[in-house]
Amino acid sequence: MAASTTNGFRVIGTRPIRHDGVDKVTGRAKYGADYAFPGMLHGKVLRSPHPHANIKSIKVDKALALPGVKAIVTSADLPQMPDKMEAAGEQAINLNHLSANILARGKALYDGHAIAAVAATSPHIADEALRLIEVEYEPLPPVMTVEDALKPGAPILLPSLRNKEEGPDKETNVAAHLQFKRGDVAEGFKQADYVIEREFKTAMVHQGYIEPHNAIGIYNADGHATIYCSTQGSFVVRALSAAVLGLSEGKIKVVPAEIGGGFGGKTTVYLEPLSVLLSQKTGHPVKMTMTRAEVLRATGPTSGSTIRCKMGATRDGKIVAAQCWLAYEAGGFPGSPVGAGAMTILAPYNIPNILVDAYDVVVNRPKTAAYRAPGASNAAMASETVLDEIAEKCGLDPLDIRILNGSHDGTPQTVGPPFKRIGFIETLEAIKNGEHYKSKLTGANRGRGVASGFWFNVGLQSSATVNIHTDGTVSVVIGSVDIGGTRAAQAMIAAEVLGVDINDVRPTIADTDSIGHTDVTGGSRTCFATGWAVYEAAQDCIRQLKERAAKLWEKKPEEVVFQNGVFSPTQANGVKPMSLKEMAPRLARTGGPIVGRATVNARGVGPAFATVCVDVEVDPDTGKTQILRATIAQDVGKAIHPSYVEGQMQGGMAQGIGWALNEEYFYDDRGILRNTGLLDYRMPTCLDLPALETLIVEVPTPGHPLGVRGVGEVSIVPPPAAVANAIYHAVGVRMTELPMSPPRLLKAILKKRAAGETQAAAAD
Amino acid sequence: MANKVIVETTINGDPVELLCEPRQSLLEVLRDVLELTGSKEGCLTGDCGACTVVIDGRPVCSCLMLGVEAAGKQISTVEGLASGTALHVLQQKFLEHASLQCGICTPGFLMSAKALLDHNPNPTEAEIRYALAGNLCRCTGYDKIVRAVTDAAATMAGRSRPAHGAVPAETASGMTGEMLAKGEVK
Ligand code: FES
Ligand code: FES
């Protein structure tokens, strides 16, 4: 590896080949579905064909009689859970709801809701058995949109659901109402020269990871269980599976397999407890994998939403007031990311008067799960397009109006406390000074749009151990599963601190018995928090190595320094300095092996901002939008492995473009999901996207030893609004619905044309 | 119960005789019967390309073919791409360009790209994007995949490799490498 350096770092900022790379390009890496065990059975799930129905009875005798069928379970086999919240990484989860989502209890709440699970000797026999299970349903009218759910007299999904405002006696579909307030919006709007108010609708969309959910449960005669699965959080799987099954956590070991994408969608459990339950019933390992249709129908997409956004500004472009109203589809159980939507929608700007109301609404759709900066993209679609209109009214460049109003160090956040060091303005300036924005866009039906986005990032808990081997190589053991190259970054941090070559460090992701508690890979936290733990664990090694050197040299540990990868005494007096490689073989003689350890409950997270610039060309005859060029500038704090940082920026932008243009859950009027495959749930392909340009901005997070901010999420926030703004500048229509698919955009273009013709006729 | 069938085929150059049910897809046979789990399942409907293998020189979604149809065919899977411990140029370029994040799509992309380069050693970017359009990647946005395939084609043709994406500007991080090297830790 060439010895390149960035800002004096030897390893950090370089682009080494990831340690798990060879396994992943040779097909050797084991993802959850790649495991198999002797005597293994195959599990399948029966799913509700109704979006809303009472379950009157489930008869399994015929299915059980099929040769090869070993066990069938329903919610009657799971303990009834109290209505209790449990932390699960970024979210808190109600265990009663979680259990009833894994196997429906009395009521089916969406098309695809799990009703029963079968274990059989082959997946095909399990499939046949599903067809023999007899379920008597009493169909109920489905409630598919927040508007319908909020109507007086709307069918009620959860009879026990209450909210504070409506009181303890009122059945409701509103799980929560949140409000954020600053100043006086009525007074604020009075100062405004321009006020724009629009209503937006965004469709429910899925994370779209290519690997379907999977789990293998192995329940042993001694009461211990092991779960192999692809998850973003092995400790979450352990905690939630134990809770749902009524086992103690220590009885379950979770072995995280390689994971084929998650984007937030693999931070909860579906199959994991079922595989253990079926294994418990049969005494065999039970493997369960979902089909793509099951993934789309019954895992956790992110909310569709209705958002109203009103913004007022003075003639010179100063935003003086903003009022927002957000209602998000939670799915069949409470827990949409509407709170995050409310807290992010105005966060990029310093606005003296704000009022934000947010509603979490249950509807007969799958229970939503986290999706990359959950809730923020919907929100930014509203605020960032309204701001574009205001910029136009004021005659301001869209970047300049953002720089004029942009949040900086000390700006109060929506929730109150001021931002510490942030790099929002820096992202705007990076785009403004970049080649893309400076280039001229010419041609008919072409337009350029910009938009920005904010995401909190999270810290949470991580553990790391660093082992020094006798040959001077190092192993780094962590609990954060690697979803996008983070393993390499962790190894780089250890290599940097210890003064060793990156190829002398092997990172390993351990199971839940072999490493301390580590929260989910999510919230852009892995390099920030787990990286911090690795940094501290490596420093712990250095401390111990100094003690050993002191022993060898008959000095005090304070008299040993570690500089440029070499241990030496403060007073040289003839002693030969030693590198870690030279120290390593001497460990046995100086006190035994060295294991560096650290745990963190990382505080002081660095919030993330990104700004996106896109050029589009719209075909006015079909409504199809082609992305011509796309650039993202994002404040990442410090890029450990720049290639994988760019990868996160590009990947989020690609998902945001898909969300903008094509992706949507399409339910028919009976509440049945009609696009359950990847042909009809249309994610961007290679042909739909141009090269994705990245501008890494590095404004270090104060408090973090390396200034890392976290990089995984905010890139998905600006694209839908940026594309909407570009479409406006291309063809003059303001889109207020996602996705801006060809039929929807064509309709808007034709409407505008018709309005123009009427006007022209009136003028004649 | 379906009666199993004996199928004779060639996989990664080796003759193989296998036993499968007529209803099993080739993907299922590769993964569950032969334990070649490098080919991945993303959809089973021919929409994601994660299961792509090369059959008689053409990229095929192995989930759309029955195992019994493999009889007499020449099948290449990702497991056969490297020669011993020497990676194929495509594999090496995917690693150098960080073209995989989660890596679940990678075997399929490698096989589609191999089929492309075998027929067209000097593809344009448009031809690369067209050839890979049947493979979905949700992590990368394809940029680094296209760069890797472009670079692999150039390398295989003996041309010099195109410049790598720019290294980021000097960092303003509070911690510098010098500080760390000198032991001035926070
Ligand atoms: S699994 Fe064959 S194309 Fe998706
Ligand atoms: S790298 Fe994850 S799907 Fe392509």
Side-chain angles (χ1 to χ4, degrees), chain A residues 210, chain B residues 99-106 136-140:
Chain A
I210 303 302
Chain B
S99 309
L100 46 143
Q101 285 179 28
C102 78
I104 197 86
C105 68
T106 308
L136 290 174
C137 173
R138 190 58 158 174
C139 296
T140 65

Side-chain angles (χ1 to χ4, degrees), chain A residues 347-368:
Chain A
Y349 306 104
N350 191 356
I351 308 173
N353 305 294
I354 64 171
L355 179 60
V356 185
D357 285 287
Y359 294 86
D360 184 31
V361 184
V362 291
V363 292
N364 291 116
R365 291 166 178 254
K367 162 74 180 78
T368 53

Side-chain angles (χ1 to χ4, degrees), chain A residues 323-343:
Chain A
Q323 185 171 357
C324 303
W325 183 97
L326 307 89
Y328 280 30
E329 298 159 354
F333 299 96
S336 77
V338 74
M343 288 185 270

Side-chain angles (χ1 to χ4, degrees), chain B residues 27 40-52 61-64 134:
Chain B
L27 178 64
K40 302 302 179 191
E41 173 187 325
C43 68
L44 287 188
T45 49
D47 300 318
C48 77
C51 63
T52 305
C61 291
S62 62
C63 72
L64 291 185

